Structure formats: structure tokens, C-alpha cells
Amino acid sequence: MKLRALVLASLLIPITVCADTPEQAAAQKSQEAMKEFGMTLKATLQAAMKEGGAMQAIPVCHTEAPKIAQQMSAKHGVDIHRTSLKPRATPPTEWEMAVLEGFEKDKAAGKPVAELVWKEVVEVDGKPTLRMMKAIGTEDVCLTCHGAAIDPAVMAKIQALYPHDRATGFKAGDMRGAFSVSAPLAAAQ
Ligand code: HEC
């Protein structure tokens, strides 16, 4: 009886440990956060554009995008936001800039934007933390506010809210920016 229990235990332990390392768990959490963040942002943008076009959607993005980032961070237990080499609201930190530059190089070498993903585990304030980034592509609908030929009234609205805006001049297929997530690794059991 005892032996059987031992054999069973030795069979079970490696499975539970290997299937879900703290790094894998953090990566999964980060992916879920990015997916839900992206979907929520798009739904919010689409609803605002439908209701009042870009002139209404700009102030909605301005107030809602940071709020949604905070909500998603709290919900998923991570720190999530978007950033870009040509930012409107959220300039990259030094490490984010290095990752974004790497993405641009990989893209120039032929890698599709949808496949530009990066992650690494680092110590942040003495705690192991997974950092993950995933590129965001530029679609036609984005060009109203991020393109090369923006309506002057729309541009004026953008500039009133973001005097240092650099997030224009994009074309469909460009990398607009990326999600950036920092997820603390849970202590190993
Ligand atoms: C109605 C205008 C509008 C449209 C359309 C729009 N955006 Fe934006 N975008 C904004 C505004 C305003 C911000 C700044 C939000 C903030 O204050 O956090 C922004 C910020 C961003 C950021 C954050 C990085 C930065 O520059 O600060 C990314 C990434 C982004 N947009 C991608 C997209 C993508 C991808 C699309 C198309 C699917 C899109 N946007 C469509 C207005 C728009």
C-alpha cells in the first residue's frame, strides 16, 4: 500500500511541477492580459468611431486607454501598457526601446509583425519578473489618427491633447507599437 502511494506520488510530482513553471505561468498570464487588453481597446475604439467618428474617438482614447490599461493590470496581476518608437502618449523605457528596435530589424529581415514577440526573466527590485513584449501592427482603420494624411481638424484635436505627438506618418502593415507586460514570477512551490 505504502509503496503504491510512493510510486503514485513520484509520478505526479514531476507532472505538476513541469507543466506549470513560474515562468510558464507568468507568460500565460501575460498573453491573456495582452489579448484581453487588445480586444477591449479595439471594441472601445470601434464603438466611439461609430458614434461620432474620430473627433469623438480621440478624447475617448485619451481618457479610456490609460484606464483600460490599469484595469487589465489589476485584473491579471501584471503591469501592462502599450508603447512605441514614435509615441503619442507612452514613450518607451530604455529596455522597451531596445526590444522595439530589435522588432524593426526582424521586420526588415522579413518577419511578419504578428510574429514579433520577445520575453526574458529579470530581477526587478530583487524579485524575478517576466518581461514580455508583442508587436502591434497598423491597419487601415488606424490611419485616421496615425496615418500620413490626417484630416486637419482631427490633427488639431490630437495636437491639443498631445503636444509632443510623434505617432503619425504610419502606413498599413507598419509596426505601430507593442504591448509591454511585466509579470512577477510566483514563488516556486
Ligand atoms: C480615433 C483616433 C485613433 C485611432 C483610429 C487609432 N488610435 Fe491609436 N491612439 C490614439 C490616441 C488618442 C492614443 C493615445 C492614448 C492615450 O492617451 O493613452 C493612441 C495610442 C496608441 C498606442 C499607444 C502607443 C503610443 O503611441 O502612445 C498604440 C500602440 C496605438 N494607438 C495603436 C493603434 C492601432 C493599432 C490602431 C488601429 C487598430 C489605432 N491606434 C487607431 C488615437 C487613435
Side-chain angles (χ1 to χ4, degrees), residues 113-125:
V113 173
E115 287 172 25
L116 298 170
V117 183
W118 171 96
K119 62 178 172 18
E120 100 181 331
V121 175
V122 291
E123 292 261 322
V124 179
D125 300 328

Side-chain angles (χ1 to χ4, degrees), residues 14-54:
I15 292 168
T16 48
V17 171
C18 290
D20 215 10
T21 66
E23 186 180 338
Q24 283 170 329
Q28 196 180 339
K29 209 155 70 164
S30 302
Q31 265 157 346
E32 281 162 13
M34 289 190 288
K35 195 169 169 200
E36 193 179 345
F37 185 30
M39 276 167 33
T40 309
L41 283 168
K42 252 196 186 159
T44 307
L45 174 70
Q46 271 164 2
M49 289 285 271
K50 206 171 159 193
E51 203 165 308

Side-chain angles (χ1 to χ4, degrees), residues 42 45 49 54 57-58 61-62 65-66 82-84 86-90 136-137 141-142 145-146 162 167 176:
K42 252 196 186 159
L45 174 70
M49 289 285 271
I58 291 163
C61 283
H62 180 67
R82 298 174 302 169
T83 187
S84 171
K86 286 174 67 187
R88 175 154 295 163
T90 36
I136 301 168
V141 0
C142 318
C145 302
H146 294 296
Y162 306 94
R176 175 54 271 271

Side-chain angles (χ1 to χ4, degrees), residues 26 28-44 63-82 179-184:
Q28 196 180 339
K29 209 155 70 164
S30 302
Q31 265 157 346
E32 281 162 13
M34 289 190 288
K35 195 169 169 200
E36 193 179 345
F37 185 30
M39 276 167 33
T40 309
L41 283 168
K42 252 196 186 159
T44 307
T63 51
E64 293 307 310
K67 248 191 251 170
I68 295 168
Q70 276 177 7
Q71 282 163 2
M72 291 298 136
S73 295
K75 181 174 174 186
H76 293 276
V78 299
D79 177 354
I80 187 167
H81 59 267
R82 298 174 302 169
F179 295 112
S180 173
V181 195
S182 293

Side-chain angles (χ1 to χ4, degrees), residues 9 26 39 47 76 85 93 96 98 121 125 143 145 148-149 154 158 174 186 188:
M39 276 167 33
H76 293 276
L85 286 173
T93 62
E96 285 173 334
V121 175
D125 300 328
L143 301 180
C145 302
V154 170
I158 292 170
D174 283 346

